[in-house]
Amino acid sequence: EPEVTQTPSHQVTQMGQEVILRCVPISNHLYFYWYRQILGQKVEFLVSFYNNEISEKSEIFDDQFSVERPDGSNFTLKIRSTKLEDSAMYFCASSRDRGAYNEQFFGPGTRLTVL
Amino acid sequence: AQSVAQPEDQVNVAEGNPLTVKCTYSVSGNPYLFWYVQYPNRGLQFLLKYITGDNLVKGSYGFEAEFNKSQTSFHLKKPSALVSDSALYFCAVRDINLGTNFGNEKLTFGTGTRLTIIP
């Protein structure tokens, strides 16, 4: 069964550094998402992406964040200058079709630790 | 706004007994409701969804969920629990009346319920 994959599984960085989290969505999916989960808190939506454009973003997704689909298979989340409060588990997801009734398929997550 | 509440952080059930994991939601319009499960070191796996139609929906691994509009609930159930069902379970909602013509894209999750099946 095809799966969403994410690398690395764990990233440790110093405050102020840039990080790039990588995701490979399911191959025939066209809609991509990032979520995050701060330890002990809810899974929170960050951004959705389709046709090389952001289609929706949350208030968390400020100018420090950016997303890109640099090639036909990868989907990345960049945090320009990390803060302590960016420490969280980051989940990538994809879906084949658009529409609120479609389920999203999630990757295993990248645990980001900002020191 | 849309929100989900999972009132129990932890649920313990003896193997072979029925299980219920509770979820209530709040939306301004009509909801699409989802259940996901997370095993250790794995991503969130889709279990089932309610879109429209029958209030009882069936999903993967023998799980089912009942949509109750008057109680704004979507409880996850299984008639006979297995030890392998032990995992973290998340309820999620989308409000179909928000967003674009395609509906609101973001999923809003509950805090999760850790289900432990005791042999």
Side-chain angles (χ1 to χ4, degrees):
Chain A
E1 186 177 331
E3 290 184 331
V4 176
T5 59
Q6 290 184 244
T7 54
S9 57
H10 192 188
Q11 173 90 43
V12 181
T13 190
Q14 296 290 325
M15 189 170 57
Q17 295 295 305
E18 174 183 287
V19 295
I20 297 176
L21 310 183
R22 290 182 167 79
C23 167
V24 179
I26 294 172
S27 63
N28 62 347
H29 286 190
L30 300 176
Y31 304 92
F32 314 115
Y33 312 85
W34 283 101
Y35 290 79
R36 78 172 186 190
Q37 185 181 29
I38 295 172
L39 189 63
Q41 298 186 24
K42 295 182 179 184
V43 177
E44 301 171 293
F45 170 80
L46 292 177
V47 66
S48 59
F49 188 86
Y50 167 69
N51 200 25
N52 284 320
E53 286 184 344
I54 290 173
S55 46
E56 190 175 350
K57 62 181 181 179
S58 72
E59 61 276 6
I60 302 169
F61 195 87
D62 61 22
D63 292 345
Q64 292 299 310
F65 291 89
S66 62
V67 288
E68 191 180 27
R69 187 150 164 85
D71 53 43
S73 59
N74 289 284
F75 179 51
T76 62
L77 174 70
K78 183 193 292 186
I79 309 175
R80 239 178 294 282
S81 177
T82 50
K83 307 182 188 99
L84 295 176
E85 54 265 37
D86 293 328
S87 294
M89 181 73 88
Y90 287 81
F91 293 105
C92 173
S94 68
S95 65
R96 189 186 64 187
D97 299 310
R98 203 173 188 182
Y101 51 86
N102 284 292
E103 60 269 29
Q104 296 170 9
F105 294 84
F106 285 76
T110 294
R111 181 166 298 285
L112 176 65
T113 302
V114 182
L115 302 175
Chain B
Q2 54 191 41
S3 66
V4 172
Q6 292 181 247
E8 301 156 319
D9 292 334
Q10 173 84 40
V11 171
N12 297 324
V13 176
E15 186 179 19
N17 281 2
L19 68 88
T20 299
V21 182
K22 294 179 181 175
C23 170
T24 58
Y25 67 89
S26 175
V27 296
S28 55
N30 293 310
Y32 289 152
L33 293 153
F34 302 80
W35 274 101
Y36 284 83
V37 59
Q38 186 178 32
Y39 298 101
N41 302 315
R42 300 291 299 275
L44 299 165
Q45 294 182 38
F46 169 75
L47 272 182
L48 51 80
K49 65 182 177 183
Y50 171 80
I51 302 301
T52 187
D54 280 344
N55 289 339
L56 186 66
V57 293
K58 296 186 183 297
S60 308
Y61 313 121
F63 284 94
E64 58 190 27
E66 186 166 14
F67 171 65
N68 187 318
K69 188 171 183 177
S70 63
Q71 296 185 5
T72 61
S73 67
F74 189 56
H75 301 331
L76 181 70
K77 301 181 180 185
K78 188 172 181 180
S80 178
L82 300 172
V83 172
S84 56
D85 293 330
S86 298
L88 190 56
Y89 289 80
F90 291 94
C91 183
V93 70
R94 276 202 188 108
D95 186 337
I96 67 171
N97 294 110
L98 295 181
T100 68
N101 289 336
F102 296 98
N104 187 20
E105 292 186 68
K106 73 174 184 181
L107 283 168
T108 296
F109 285 88
T111 50
T113 298
R114 186 163 298 283
L115 176 65
T116 301
I117 307 303
I118 302 163

